Amino acid sequence: MAVSEAYSSTHVADNFYLKFILWSVAAVAIFRALGSSAFGVINIVHMVAEGRMRMSLGKVKVPDWVSESSSK
């Protein structure tokens, strides 16, 4: 049963329970979006930092084709 079947159009706007559910779901969605974005940014920063650290320590060898293209 849909909300429109249970309530008339005038009662939906006055229903505190429906308003509460709507705004709760919206708040959780915003919280989830912010958390996911922060997680993605932190992962990207971590990958860049780890890559630079490995390059500076010499653990990762740069392929020959990279050094050849930069010297031309």
Side-chain angles (χ1 to χ4, degrees):
M1 177 182 284
V3 173
S4 62
E5 294 173 2
Y7 301 99
S8 67
S9 62
T10 58
H11 291 99
V12 173
D14 297 332
N15 193 337
F16 175 75
Y17 176 73
L18 292 177
K19 286 182 185 179
F20 177 76
I21 295 296
L22 171 71
W23 287 108
S24 298
V25 169
V28 170
I30 290 171
F31 179 76
R32 183 178 177 187
L34 291 174
S36 297
S37 299
F39 181 77
V41 169
I42 290 171
N43 274 346
I44 290 170
V45 169
H46 183 264
M47 284 189 295
V48 169
E50 186 176 351
R52 285 187 176 193
M53 185 180 67
R54 285 187 180 185
M55 291 292 247
S56 68
L57 293 177
K59 290 183 179 178
V60 177
K61 293 184 179 180
V62 178
D64 293 334
W65 60 270
V66 173
S67 59
E68 288 175 7
S69 63
S70 64
S71 63
K72 290 182 179 180

